[in-house]
Amino acid sequence: MNVNRLILGVLLLFSAQSFAQKGYDLWLQYDEITDTQLQSDYLNKIQGIKILGNSPTLNVSAEEMQTAWKSFFGKELQKKNSGENILLLGQREQLPQKLQQNLKQDFENINSEGYIIKEVKFEGNNTILITGKSDIGVLYGSFRLLREMQLHNKLSNLAITDSPKIQKRVLNHWDNLDRTVERGYAGFSIWDWHLLPDLIKPEYTDYARANASIGINGTVLTNVNANSLVLTEEYIKKVKALAEVFRPYGIQVYLTARFSSPMESGGLETADPLNEEVRQWWKDKADQIYAEIPDFGGFLVKANSEGQPGPNNYGRSHVDGANMMAEAVAPHGGIVMWRAFVYSEHDPEDRAKQAYSEFVPFDGEFADNVLLQVKNGAIDFQPREPFHPLFGAMPDTPLMMEFQITQEYLGFATHLVFLPKLFEETLEEDTYVNGEKSTVAKIIDGTLSNKKLTGMAGVANIGNERNWTGHPFGQANWYGFGRLAWDPYLSSEEIAEEWLKMTFTNNEDFVEPMKEMMLESRETVVNYMTPLGLHHIMRTGHHYGPGPWVSNLSRPEWNPVYYHKADSAGIGFDRTSSGSNALEQYADPIAEKYSSPETTPEKYLLWFHHLPWDYEMDNGKSLWYNMASKYQEGVEEVEDMAENWNNMEQYVDEERFEKVSMLLQIQLKEAKWWRDACLLYFQEFSNMEMPEFIPEPAHTLEYYKNLKTPYAPGI
């Protein structure tokens, strides 16, 4: 009996570890291929592997193939020097001259990070070749081939060429040196600064693998609200240790630079960017970093924003500050990513206008190695915002998109929200700056103005939770960001389908309903949080839950009442010529269309207009009725999500199924909280009856106003 119990205990422990591993492995599950025909096809097509050349990147390419093969088929992929049906890995310079010549056109169609996967003849034998102009291209191609196999696609007549359309594809970690994470909801930082550089955790390698598999080639290790300590010799050595782990995977490390560092860690009396001692300090600091980390990417800077120091402290411009740092890293090939997220409590102008007013006059004056990093919208990562007017307004300045993968304003790691749908919406927006089809994506990838330097950043949702992101579906947002940074023209539908198949199962009875749920989930959260163009009405500080009534903070633009402007006459922010005139910052076709509520898309209605509560909308119902309808619709959609997920139990391991089930119940509870609190509050101004489909609120408005969550995560 004791032996049986012991065996049972071991089996249960193994099962629990196996389930936990499912979450840890992200979209690199490499599930066993059980379809006998498919298994036979793959094993016949690839019977061995040969590597041309020897480098750390080629080595990890081969290791990834072996990891996948053991998981797919329960055995190693044999190493062979020659023979029929082998997999050949090697960059262009390692290929026989004749093969290079045969692939000349293919090589002309890819860039330095691109890859070619093609059936060729090698030494007279049928061969699947993965090649590129660089070793990292071979690694990206290896992950692409494995993705094709994870998706159960056929390998016959392979002819795939692909290249990233954006150069700098970077995660921004808002991680502090004490391992707390600003706006982080998945535990503590994965960077164990206390034990670096001596302890290299396996998570660092797996982080690099995951990022390389989706083409991410850079990581900013530290918070934009920066700490000068990270630029000291002690921490540079710690950063070096991470850089050495990431280098084979093509990932450069970047650091956030606190503008006042010359004073705080350099002993200078000023950080004035035009001061020669200050300029020399930054040059010396760059030399010091590059001596340890030759492929260091450069600096990300948040300056003169939300209390951070910057060049304005000395009467200097953002150009002065950015170009000073750019000068320091330029000899080493480094770049500066200078954030355009600036707004001032001393500026009475509409917050949505301030970044445009601050930066557009300097178009064309930034150094060639500066990227101006611009959030997708003009306020702050809201569930829905119009695209930032800077996109299209600075044709002579490279603009880098900044998306937020972590869900600061979208329910933290509690709510299931598929963010690639939001990213796609922004990228597809037409700016009209060069006529029709001048999309945001074309500005970001440089094609609209022939930019030489391009980039996309994503604020990471990663922590030391075993599944990396807290919510199992949060992994899809990391995955989707990487895929869109590689190709900003991909559809969110394609991304969702890939992720579901690679992470859970290829069974269409699971994939189709879950794909539909994911694609609708972003609109759902908009409905129960900020419908019809409402924005920034979350509780303040932590941004957890509704707080449209908050009006007591020292800075007006930190108060939700600043944004919705509800009164007895109506609701919404007038950004037309009769209000703040933020519309003038957009191209004429947009400004003209959005100047009237009748022609403004419903989704942006209250972003641009202050309208009466009884304003008649397209369906003939009042604004108040439609607002209530949206809130109720959002709640009902979460109910549908929970019901649909419950039907998926047979396709999902127990641990992930139970966690998502519980989180959906929390999401449903909080969606009702949003509906009840917001409608009760706005009803005080509308003085209109609740529509009959709105259930009796669970509590009074005073109850909701008095809720306190002082330890909400992410601050």
Side-chain angles (χ1 to χ4, degrees):
M1 178 67 89
N2 289 338
V3 172
N4 289 338
R5 285 179 177 172
L6 177 63
I7 292 171
L8 179 60
V10 170
L11 288 173
L12 288 172
L13 177 62
F14 177 80
S15 176
Q17 289 175 336
S18 176
F19 289 153
Q21 191 68 25
K22 283 283 186 183
Y24 180 81
D25 286 339
L26 299 162
W27 48 87
L28 300 179
Q29 299 288 323
Y30 301 141
D31 285 334
E32 179 184 1
I33 295 173
T34 56
D35 183 299
T36 54
Q37 184 60 56
L38 190 63
Q39 183 184 104
S40 176
D41 289 347
Y42 286 165
L43 291 175
N44 286 334
K45 204 71 181 174
I46 301 176
Q47 299 177 14
I49 186 170
K50 178 180 176 67
I51 312 298
L52 297 177
N54 181 26
S55 73
T57 299
L58 288 175
N59 291 342
V60 297
S61 301
E63 288 170 12
E64 196 67 33
M65 283 293 173
Q66 292 294 359
T67 297
W69 224 254
K70 291 172 188 174
S71 191
F72 284 151
F73 307 114
K75 61 182 180 180
E76 288 192 0
L77 183 57
Q78 274 191 298
K79 297 177 183 177
K80 292 186 176 182
N81 287 323
S82 61
E84 191 78 6
N85 295 325
I86 65 168
L87 178 64
L88 182 66
L89 273 60
Q91 61 140 296
R92 177 173 60 181
E93 301 306 316
Q94 300 291 338
L95 301 181
Q97 200 65 40
K98 183 178 179 182
L99 190 50
Q100 289 187 44
Q101 192 61 36
N102 291 343
L103 297 171
K104 182 179 179 182
Q105 186 60 54
D106 293 299
F107 279 115
E108 288 178 357
N109 292 336
I110 64 171
N111 60 32
S112 61
E113 294 180 288
Y115 55 80
I116 302 163
I117 307 174
K118 198 165 189 177
E119 285 195 66
V120 298
K121 288 288 186 181
F122 177 70
E123 296 178 347
N125 297 308
N126 292 321
T127 302
I128 293 179
L129 171 68
I130 303 177
T131 188
K133 294 179 179 177
S134 64
D135 288 347
I136 193 61
V138 176
L139 177 63
Y140 291 152
S142 299
F143 278 115
R144 173 62 183 273
L145 181 66
L146 293 175
R147 187 195 312 153
E148 294 294 310
M149 297 176 71
Q150 286 179 279
L151 299 177
H152 293 182
N153 293 334
K154 293 186 180 297
L155 300 185
S156 54
N157 303 313
L158 276 175
I160 300 171
T161 60
D162 199 9
S163 294
K165 292 180 171 61
I166 292 173
Q167 294 168 332
K168 305 296 182 180
R169 308 175 299 279
V170 183
L171 287 181
N172 288 184
H173 287 267
W174 288 1
D175 295 22
N176 299 311
L177 299 184
D178 64 1
R179 297 192 71 185
T180 58
V181 182
E182 184 171 340
R183 309 310 180 189
Y185 313 107
F188 288 98
S189 170
I190 61 172
W191 320 129
D192 196 337
W193 294 108
H194 180 64
L195 296 177
L196 283 166
D198 301 309
L199 180 66
I200 304 300
K201 295 184 174 182
E203 291 93 322
Y204 302 155
T205 299
D206 290 327
Y207 167 87
R209 289 176 56 229
N211 280 321
S213 74
I214 50 178
I216 290 172
N217 66 357
T219 182
V220 184
L221 301 173
T222 46
N223 193 355
V224 289
N225 293 316
N227 189 327
S228 296
L229 190 62
V230 80
L231 299 181
T232 62
E233 182 177 1
E234 176 189 4
Y235 275 84
I236 291 170
K237 292 188 181 300
K238 297 173 185 285
V239 173
K240 176 183 179 181
L242 291 173
E244 288 175 347
V245 175
F246 301 157
R247 188 170 294 118
Y249 294 90
I251 297 170
Q252 291 180 285
V253 296
Y254 299 79
L255 292 173
T256 47
R258 185 167 167 84
F259 199 82
S260 52
S261 292
M263 301 168 65
E264 295 165 355
S265 62
L268 300 186
E269 295 183 357
T270 181
D272 184 346
L274 299 189
N275 179 283
E276 284 305 319
E277 282 188 315
V278 172
R279 300 177 77 87
Q280 189 59 50
W281 187 89
W282 282 108
K283 289 176 183 177
D284 292 343
K285 181 56 61 177
D287 290 345
Q288 180 188 9
I289 295 172
Y290 280 98
E292 297 289 340
I293 311 168
D295 58 348
F296 178 67
F299 295 125
L300 171 63
V301 186
K302 177 180 180 179
N304 292 119
S305 174
E306 298 181 325
Q308 289 297 303
N312 295 171
N313 294 41
Y314 306 95
R316 313 301 185 189
S317 71
H318 286 280
V319 166
D320 294 329
N323 288 354
M324 173 199 66
M325 288 191 178
E327 181 183 42
V329 298
H332 308 281
I335 66 168
V336 170
M337 298 168 287
W338 192 270
R339 295 180 88 228
F341 180 60
V342 298
Y343 62 99
S344 171
E345 71 271 33
H346 305 299
D347 189 343
E349 192 172 48
D350 178 358
R351 174 176 165 181
K353 297 178 64 177
Q354 291 186 34
Y356 182 103
S357 301
E358 184 93 23
F359 285 97
V360 168
F362 297 113
D363 186 31
E365 296 184 25
F366 288 92
D368 289 343
N369 60 328
V370 173
L371 276 164
L372 193 60
Q373 186 165 308
V374 183
K375 291 187 178 185
N376 58 285
I379 296 297
D380 192 12
F381 298 134
Q382 296 302 291
R384 168 165 282 133
E385 298 185 58
F387 71 88
H388 202 301
L390 279 174
F391 294 116
M394 300 185 71
D396 296 319
T397 303
L399 301 184
M400 182 179 196
M401 173 64 75
E402 180 180 344
F403 286 126
Q404 192 177 46
I405 309 169
T406 193
Q407 293 171 221
E408 176 183 355
Y409 293 99
L410 292 100
F412 297 6
T414 308
H415 295 208
L416 193 164
V417 186
F418 183 55
L419 292 180
K421 191 69 177 174
L422 183 160
F423 305 158
E424 176 187 48
E425 180 178 276
T426 302
L427 293 166
E428 289 181 346
E429 288 273 23
D430 198 335
T431 69
Y432 291 96
V433 292
N434 284 359
E436 287 188 22
K437 299 184 179 178
S438 301
T439 62
V440 172
K442 290 181 179 178
I443 293 168
I444 297 308
D445 74 4
T447 55
L448 201 63
S449 302
N450 196 28
K451 295 290 189 304
K452 295 179 181 177
L453 183 61
T454 59
M456 186 185 291
V459 182
N461 63 345
I462 299 162
N464 69 345
E465 284 245 11
R466 185 61 182 170
N467 74 351
W468 302 89
T469 59
H471 200 303
F473 276 76
Q475 298 176 0
N477 296 332
W478 176 8
Y479 178 86
F481 167 78
R483 296 289 285 124
L484 285 166
W486 179 278
D487 183 353
Y489 303 97
L490 285 175
S491 74
S492 57
E493 181 176 4
E494 180 180 354
I495 292 167
E497 183 166 331
E498 287 178 359
W499 180 80
L500 285 165
K501 289 181 176 180
M502 296 166 72
T503 307
F504 289 104
T505 175
N506 277 265
N507 191 309
E508 290 298 322
D509 291 336
F510 173 84
V511 172
E512 286 304 313
M514 289 299 97
K515 180 174 67 175
E516 182 178 354
M517 181 181 79
M518 290 172 70
L519 293 173
E520 293 175 354
S521 63
R522 184 285 185 104
E523 199 64 36
T524 294
V525 78
V526 170
N527 285 340
Y528 66 71
M529 283 190 182
T530 54
L532 303 176
L534 288 172
H535 51 286
H536 218 305
I537 60 172
M538 298 75 185
R539 292 196 296 169
T540 52
H542 46 62
H543 302 145
Y544 171 63
W549 47 80
V550 177
S551 61
N552 60 352
L553 299 182
S554 59
R555 293 178 58 161
E557 75 283 358
W558 284 355
N559 292 288
V561 296
Y562 171 92
Y563 297 98
H564 63 70
K565 300 193 182 302
D567 55 24
S568 60
I571 185 173
F573 200 124
D574 184 358
R575 292 189 166 102
T576 69
S577 57
S578 62
S580 76
N581 205 20
L583 266 174
E584 70 175 352
Q585 296 181 344
Y586 291 92
D588 288 344
I590 295 176
E592 291 169 7
K593 180 178 179 180
Y594 291 9
S595 65
S596 168
E598 283 75 23
T599 52
T600 300
E602 183 183 271
K603 62 185 179 181
Y604 297 140
L605 192 62
L606 300 180
W607 186 284
F608 291 109
H609 301 279
H610 189 276
L611 297 173
W613 295 104
D614 60 359
Y615 172 80
E616 185 177 321
M617 297 184 63
D618 288 345
N619 61 1
K621 302 288 187 179
S622 70
L623 173 61
W624 169 247
Y625 180 97
N626 277 275
M627 181 186 296
S629 178
K630 287 291 184 183
Y631 275 109
Q632 179 61 19
E633 188 178 325
V635 171
E636 292 175 358
E637 286 166 344
V638 180
E639 289 174 336
D640 290 342
M641 290 167 67
E643 182 179 346
N644 289 336
W645 179 255
N646 284 336
N647 294 331
M648 297 297 115
E649 185 171 6
Q650 63 181 304
Y651 305 109
V652 184
D653 56 272
E654 183 180 359
E655 182 176 299
R656 288 189 291 179
F657 178 79
E658 290 297 335
K659 183 163 189 175
V660 173
S661 294
M662 289 186 284
L663 288 171
L664 282 169
Q665 288 306 310
I666 296 172
Q667 184 172 355
L668 178 57
K669 180 176 69 174
E670 294 185 356
K672 292 176 180 178
W673 172 24
W674 270 93
R675 176 199 62 199
D676 294 348
C678 290
L679 289 179
L680 283 171
Y681 173 71
F682 290 131
Q683 188 183 33
E684 290 195 324
F685 300 98
S686 74
N687 288 311
M688 299 173 76
E689 292 292 326
M690 289 282 188
E692 61 182 17
F693 53 78
I694 297 295
E696 187 72 22
H699 303 283
T700 65
L701 178 58
E702 285 307 307
Y703 169 88
Y704 293 120
K705 285 184 175 181
N706 289 323
L707 284 175
K708 307 292 182 188
T709 49
Y711 300 112
I715 300 178

